[in-house]
Amino acid sequence: MKISYNWLKQFIKIDWDAKKTGELLTDLGLEIEGIEPFESIKGGLKGIVVGHVLECEQHPNADRLKVTKVDIGTDTPVQIVCGAPNVATGQKVPVATIGTTLYDDEGKPWKIKKGKIRGEESFGMICAEDELGLGKSHDGIMVLDKSLQPGILASDVFEIENDLIFEIGLTPNRADAMSHWGVARDLKAGLKRKEITLELITPSNSSFKVENRTKKVIVTVENNSLAPRYCGVTISGLKVADSPQWLQNRLKSIGLAPINNIVDATNYVLHELGQPLHAFDFDKVKGGQINIKTLPSGTKFTTLDGIERELHKEDLMICDAEKPMCIAGVFGGITSGVTNDTTSIFLESAYFNPVSIRKSAKRHALNTDASFRFERGIDPNITEYALLRATLLIQAIAGGEVTSEVTDIYPKKIEDHQVFLNLENAKNLIGEEIPREIIKDILTSLEIKITNITEAGLGMTIPAYRNDVTREADIIEEILRVYGYNNIQFTGKLNASISATHAVEDYQVQNKIGTQLIALGFHEMMGNSLTSPKYIELTEDLQSEYNVEMLNPLSNDLSVMRQSMLFNSLEALSYNTNRKASNIKLFEFGKTYHNYPDGREEPKHLSLIVSGTKTGDNWAIATQKSDFFYFKGNVTAILERLGIDGYAEKSAKNDIFPEGLAFSKNKKTLVEFGIIKKNVTNNFGIDAETLYADFQWDNVLEEIATENFKLQAIPKFPKVKRDLALLLDESVSFKELEEAAKKTEKHLLKNISLFDVYTGKNLPNGKKSYALSFTIQDDRKTLTDKQIDKIMKKLQQSFENEFGAVLR
């Protein structure tokens, strides 16, 4: 937000330099992000002086040029070649001297230099008004008042305003400071703490009067909760024209382009007092009626920017007897605004419901100075005052007379609110006791009325415009920012307490697994917790009635909170696939959100998604597709890293997996994973086979917390490996063989792995060949061949008896 220092000084007569004032404002919570100079005319007419044309003769080598002798207040006149048709002897003119910088229409600088024009020397330039930034005409040079003395600075002749502009990083809660008046209020309180008492000067409306009542407008408000207060008045006999220079300078200084005197006056009051206003062309208000109401969804309305918009049934509209004219508090319509032909206006000043305005502004992707203030909450008690202020300003710069009574519809006054401050709580929160009298003085300077004083604390009334001060903590913050955070003393003693921690810290486990996944070639992603409700239709496992819906969604595609992390992963996968990424591996730690009948839940998850190849292209490694078993290895590696074993394995029940597994332990699912079915991936434009895993992270953490880890020495005695090649029925799984082997030899069999599978010719129908490797080890001694052969014979007999295996 931009604040003009000159404008600010109209409210409070401070003589500090801008830097010092900026430091105080920052201490008060209005952080100054920068201070920039402003000149109403770029360059400030530096180097431009008044010249007196002593001689003017035809250029000997050019029909359209003149050679002049000009007195610019120096010892000798200077020669200047001029091409203007109206230059003549005896004129007083603006002269740009050698070295002066001027600016073209695009603001680019160029410098006046000594030169020769068609053989004649020229020591400067006689200027037209557009070359100086004083106007738009280029028909000829400017001719000044004859009484001016040669050599005086042009900046002393014209109204050049130099200003300093504060760029304030205003926080959303400080709606009260969204104007020069609001900033001045804070500045006054800050100065008082420094024992500088200055009066806050406010514009007077005492000269307001109703000249006649010939153009009455009937105002009706259908829903007072959407428009708690609405004021308006009619002004007639206006002349729309450019604003006076001082008003244009004020608006330009804060980055606004002047439009005309009526619109500029409303913008001026908005930035002066923080009250948005809107002027309707009275002659375009059909039926002499203003109706504040909502319209059916789908109603067409064209705004000032020429865009036709479809209204929502909750958009509050300002209408006449026939049509909508304005989206209340947001943007005006193209058919009812002020034009050069306007002679009468209906001037609106209102307090609209902040939530309603914010929803309309977001729905239509509009962000205006008015909506910016309305949606944060303005002062409901200056609605009429600002209307009268704007009326008098318009009359001063555009003429006219008030031709109706002031309409003020305010059925239920927005009351100031009450807060009690416990002084002991303030001391504990601040860390230092601030004397009671200083607290009272600070609160009074902030226009907070103290209504009750007790031994324990203070009861107070907070003005309605301070909608951010509703709690005791807010009052303490107000006291602190005016008292000065820098004035709170720190003790030389440092106290610290050791807080109880869990044996398993979630963030530590996440860091451990995240590091492992990155080493495996994964990239971490962060998905939006807001998602589309349409995704629920892609699976039967999620129910729309369990959605957590947003009250004010940014769009329909972001209107509910996610019940599954799958769809964020698929969106990310689709985005990367469309950009030619071939081997994609992503993981995300996050939450899902469920509105169950017995309460809301936010379980934690770890999701993995893989598509494409295992590795990138490499001359030394053949490209291999990421398949189910590769993915299963990644999943089991995570559980192994966390020391979780002994989990049960069964088919996944989630309907997104046509092929999938679920690992569980102690009757709790740890992870489900598998290949995502095609009709889901097709919705995201993904053709490749896609694998997905969903870890129930809360269950994983709980399992880690209950796991007992045992430490043991590394065995001193060697391992022995033996292999078996078995002919088996196709229905026999490796898992069954592994369980049978471990049951047969519980102590010495350390590991069993499958290193080859063969199916095809030279095998009987319905058969397959498995090549198994067994690792055998005794921690207390070296095994003999006899002992090893005995173990292998037991294993072979077990496979033959249980599975009908035949040794190949």
Side-chain angles (χ1 to χ4, degrees):
M1 184 182 73
K2 295 182 184 294
I3 292 293
S4 156
Y5 199 19
N6 288 349
W7 199 343
L8 193 63
K9 289 177 181 178
Q10 292 180 199
F11 290 100
I12 189 165
K13 299 298 182 181
I14 184 172
D15 58 1
W16 284 8
D17 64 64
K19 183 179 178 182
K20 188 176 180 182
T21 302
E23 289 172 353
L24 178 56
L25 288 172
T26 297
D27 289 343
L28 289 167
L30 303 179
E31 183 182 358
I32 303 300
E33 297 178 341
I35 303 174
E36 297 293 334
F38 168 78
E39 296 170 325
S40 58
I41 295 175
K42 193 161 187 178
L45 298 183
K46 292 174 184 174
I48 312 297
V49 298
V50 174
H52 182 201
V53 182
L54 302 176
E55 298 176 13
C56 181
E57 297 178 355
Q58 184 64 45
H59 193 294
N61 301 317
D63 293 338
R64 296 186 180 183
L65 299 178
K66 301 286 179 63
V67 179
T68 65
K69 288 286 195 301
V70 185
D71 178 7
I72 59 170
T74 55
D75 293 339
T76 57
V78 297
Q79 178 172 295
I80 298 175
V81 177
C82 180
N86 64 328
V87 64
T89 302
Q91 291 174 337
K92 298 292 178 65
V93 294
V95 176
T97 57
I98 301 297
T100 299
T101 299
L102 298 179
Y103 298 86
D104 63 17
D105 293 339
E106 297 178 355
K108 294 179 181 178
W110 58 285
K111 189 171 285 190
I112 300 295
K113 299 177 181 179
K114 173 186 173 182
K116 275 190 177 184
I117 303 176
R118 292 291 186 93
E120 294 293 327
E121 289 186 320
S122 184
F123 298 88
M125 186 174 85
I126 304 174
C127 301
E129 64 178 41
D130 66 327
E131 293 166 333
L132 298 177
L134 293 169
K136 299 177 182 178
S137 174
H138 195 72
D139 295 336
I141 60 168
M142 289 188 73
V143 179
L144 306 178
D145 192 307
K146 289 187 177 182
S147 64
L148 296 174
Q149 294 297 314
I152 66 172
L153 299 176
S155 57
D156 294 335
V157 176
F158 299 98
E159 289 183 36
I160 307 298
E161 181 167 1
N162 294 304
D163 200 354
L164 291 167
I165 308 303
F166 297 111
E167 184 66 50
I168 297 180
L170 194 67
T171 52
N173 63 308
R174 291 301 309 276
D176 62 296
M178 291 188 294
S179 66
H180 287 75
W181 188 19
V183 173
R185 272 192 306 233
D186 260 23
L187 189 57
K188 177 189 173 186
L191 290 169
K192 191 172 182 182
R193 272 298 303 144
K194 297 184 178 296
E195 300 182 351
I196 301 172
T197 303
L198 295 177
E199 181 184 356
L200 190 63
I201 304 165
T202 54
S204 172
N205 291 337
S206 60
S207 61
F208 176 86
K209 64 178 181 179
V210 179
E211 277 84 5
N212 61 67
R213 297 165 179 80
T214 57
K215 293 190 175 180
K216 182 180 179 182
V217 174
I218 300 172
V219 178
T220 57
V221 179
E222 287 192 1
N223 188 339
N224 292 112
S225 65
L226 298 180
R229 188 173 190 184
Y230 191 90
C231 297
V233 70
T234 303
I235 311 170
S236 303
L238 300 170
K239 183 179 180 182
V240 177
D242 289 340
S243 297
Q245 197 62 48
W246 69 266
L247 178 52
Q248 292 192 40
N249 289 344
R250 284 283 180 266
L251 297 180
K252 287 177 182 177
S253 70
I254 58 172
L256 297 182
I259 299 171
N260 61 52
N261 48 7
I262 307 300
V263 176
D264 292 351
T266 61
N267 285 333
Y268 180 87
V269 174
L270 181 150
H271 289 276
E272 179 186 51
L273 303 177
Q275 172 66 55
L277 302 113
H278 190 77
F280 298 94
D281 188 323
F282 177 83
D283 294 328
K284 298 174 184 176
V285 179
K286 301 300 181 183
Q289 297 178 27
I290 294 288
N291 301 312
I292 299 95
K293 61 183 181 179
T294 55
L295 297 174
S297 289
T299 302
K300 305 291 185 183
F301 178 67
T302 303
T303 45
L304 275 170
D305 54 6
I307 297 175
E308 185 179 73
R309 304 176 189 273
E310 272 196 17
L311 299 179
H312 187 273
K313 63 181 180 180
E314 293 181 358
D315 290 333
L316 186 64
M317 303 297 296
I318 311 299
C319 308
D320 60 17
E322 299 178 3
K323 64 185 184 302
M325 300 189 296
C326 176
I327 303 176
V330 181
F331 209 26
I334 198 166
T335 61
S336 60
V338 174
T339 67
N340 291 336
D341 299 325
T342 299
T343 58
S344 300
I345 63 169
F346 176 77
L347 187 61
E348 166 196 279
S349 178
Y351 177 88
F352 296 117
N353 183 294
V355 174
S356 171
I357 299 303
R358 183 175 185 275
K359 286 183 176 181
S360 291
K362 295 298 180 186
R363 263 193 295 267
H364 298 290
L366 291 169
N367 182 23
T368 62
D369 284 338
S371 68
F372 180 81
R373 286 157 177 79
F374 276 129
E375 65 190 40
R376 285 162 175 77
I378 60 172
D379 185 356
N381 294 322
I382 67 163
T383 310
E384 185 184 30
Y385 170 75
L387 179 70
L388 303 186
R389 164 65 175 153
T391 301
L392 291 172
L393 179 58
I394 289 171
Q395 287 182 290
I397 62 178
E401 57 183 12
V402 178
T403 51
S404 75
E405 292 286 354
V406 174
T407 299
D408 187 2
I409 300 176
Y410 196 15
K412 185 178 180 181
K413 185 180 179 182
I414 298 173
E415 300 291 343
D416 298 342
H417 42 281
Q418 311 295 317
V419 177
F420 183 81
L421 172 66
N422 184 298
L423 295 175
E424 187 63 28
N425 289 345
K427 175 184 173 183
N428 293 336
L429 194 58
I430 294 170
E432 180 180 309
E433 184 173 7
I434 299 176
R436 182 186 291 235
E437 289 305 312
I438 291 179
I439 290 176
K440 288 164 61 179
D441 188 51
I442 289 173
L443 294 173
T444 302
S445 71
L446 292 170
E447 300 182 1
I448 295 174
K449 297 177 184 177
I450 298 173
T451 56
N452 184 29
I453 302 176
T454 66
E455 189 67 28
L458 306 173
M460 59 201 76
T461 300
I462 314 299
Y465 68 81
R466 290 308 307 272
N467 52 43
D468 61 317
V469 181
T470 58
R471 307 166 300 164
E472 182 181 63
D474 299 328
I475 291 291
I476 295 171
E477 182 182 1
E478 291 297 295
I479 294 168
L480 258 177
R481 71 182 183 85
V482 177
Y483 182 76
Y485 289 96
N486 295 333
N487 294 325
I488 302 299
Q489 301 299 315
F490 291 91
T491 63
K493 182 181 178 183
L494 179 65
N495 295 321
S497 58
I498 300 174
S499 60
T501 60
H502 301 288
V504 177
E505 292 288 354
D506 185 11
Y507 76 93
Q508 291 179 336
V509 180
Q510 287 191 27
N511 287 342
K512 181 191 294 183
I513 297 304
T515 302
Q516 178 183 0
L517 287 169
I518 289 168
L520 291 171
F522 283 76
H523 291 85
E524 185 170 10
M525 61 167 279
M526 293 182 67
N528 195 338
S529 295
L530 299 176
T531 189
S532 170
K534 295 179 181 178
Y535 290 154
I536 297 291
E537 301 168 6
L538 299 178
T539 172
E540 296 177 1
D541 290 334
L542 303 177
Q543 304 297 323
S544 59
E545 57 263 32
Y546 298 152
N547 277 336
V548 178
E549 298 181 351
M550 303 302 294
L551 294 176
N552 185 27
L554 295 174
S555 70
N556 290 332
D557 290 335
L558 297 172
S559 59
V560 299
M561 301 193 78
R562 63 185 178 188
Q563 287 195 57
S564 170
M565 294 176 67
L566 168 65
F567 306 114
N568 290 106
S569 299
L570 288 171
E571 286 175 340
L573 178 60
S574 175
Y575 181 89
N576 285 278
T577 301
N578 291 337
R579 284 152 183 80
K580 308 302 180 184
S582 57
N583 53 324
I584 301 169
K585 302 172 188 175
L586 302 173
F587 73 94
E588 179 185 7
F589 289 99
K591 292 181 178 181
T592 57
Y593 305 86
H594 311 268
N595 189 16
Y596 295 128
D598 54 349
R600 293 182 177 178
E601 294 184 12
E602 297 182 16
K604 298 176 183 176
H605 297 261
L606 164 62
S607 68
L608 311 181
I609 193 163
V610 169
S611 181
T613 57
K614 296 180 183 179
T615 60
D617 294 336
N618 191 301
W619 67 271
I621 304 173
T623 301
Q624 291 181 314
K625 179 182 173 183
S626 295
D627 57 17
F628 179 83
F629 295 102
Y630 164 75
F631 192 59
K632 180 183 178 183
N634 287 320
V635 171
T636 55
I638 291 172
L639 297 177
E640 288 174 8
R641 182 72 179 84
L642 296 174
I644 300 174
D645 55 15
Y647 45 81
E649 182 180 309
K650 59 183 178 180
S651 296
K653 294 181 180 180
N654 196 318
D655 78 327
I656 67 167
F657 299 128
E659 298 179 46
L661 291 176
F663 294 163
S664 60
K665 190 172 183 180
N666 298 324
K667 298 182 179 180
K668 292 182 180 179
T669 300
L670 299 177
V671 60
E672 285 186 299
F673 62 95
I675 300 169
I676 305 173
K677 61 185 180 182
K678 278 291 183 183
N679 68 329
V680 174
T681 56
N682 288 343
N683 275 274
F684 294 84
I686 300 169
D687 297 325
E689 184 176 84
T690 303
L691 300 122
Y692 178 76
D694 181 17
F695 284 83
Q696 305 293 320
W697 195 247
D698 291 310
N699 293 344
V700 171
L701 293 175
E702 189 176 330
E703 194 59 41
I704 296 171
T706 58
E707 285 286 334
N708 293 317
F709 293 92
K710 293 182 179 179
L711 300 178
Q712 61 184 27
I714 297 173
K716 298 178 181 179
F717 302 97
K719 297 176 182 178
V720 177
K721 284 194 175 185
R722 291 287 188 272
D723 298 337
L724 287 178
L726 302 174
L727 188 67
L728 300 158
D729 291 337
E730 285 186 342
S731 61
V732 177
S733 68
F734 170 71
K735 185 73 175 177
E736 291 173 307
L737 295 172
E738 184 181 35
E739 290 174 351
K742 288 181 178 178
K743 187 166 58 175
T744 301
E745 179 51 63
K746 297 180 180 179
H747 304 294
L748 301 182
L749 182 61
K750 301 299 182 181
N751 187 45
I752 176 174
S753 62
L754 175 65
F755 66 88
D756 187 52
V757 179
Y758 177 74
T759 58
K761 61 182 181 178
N762 301 326
L763 292 182
N765 289 334
K767 296 292 184 177
K768 62 183 176 183
S769 174
Y770 270 7
L772 304 175
S773 178
F774 301 88
T775 302
I776 305 167
Q777 184 181 36
D778 191 327
D779 297 335
R780 297 168 297 173
K781 62 183 180 181
T782 301
L783 292 169
T784 64
D785 289 340
K786 187 177 180 180
Q787 290 172 312
I788 296 168
D789 291 341
K790 184 180 179 181
I791 293 170
M792 293 304 298
K793 189 172 182 179
K794 282 170 58 181
L795 291 171
Q796 181 181 338
Q797 289 174 347
S798 174
F799 295 149
E800 289 172 352
N801 294 335
E802 289 193 42
F803 308 108
V806 177
L807 188 66
R808 293 188 71 196

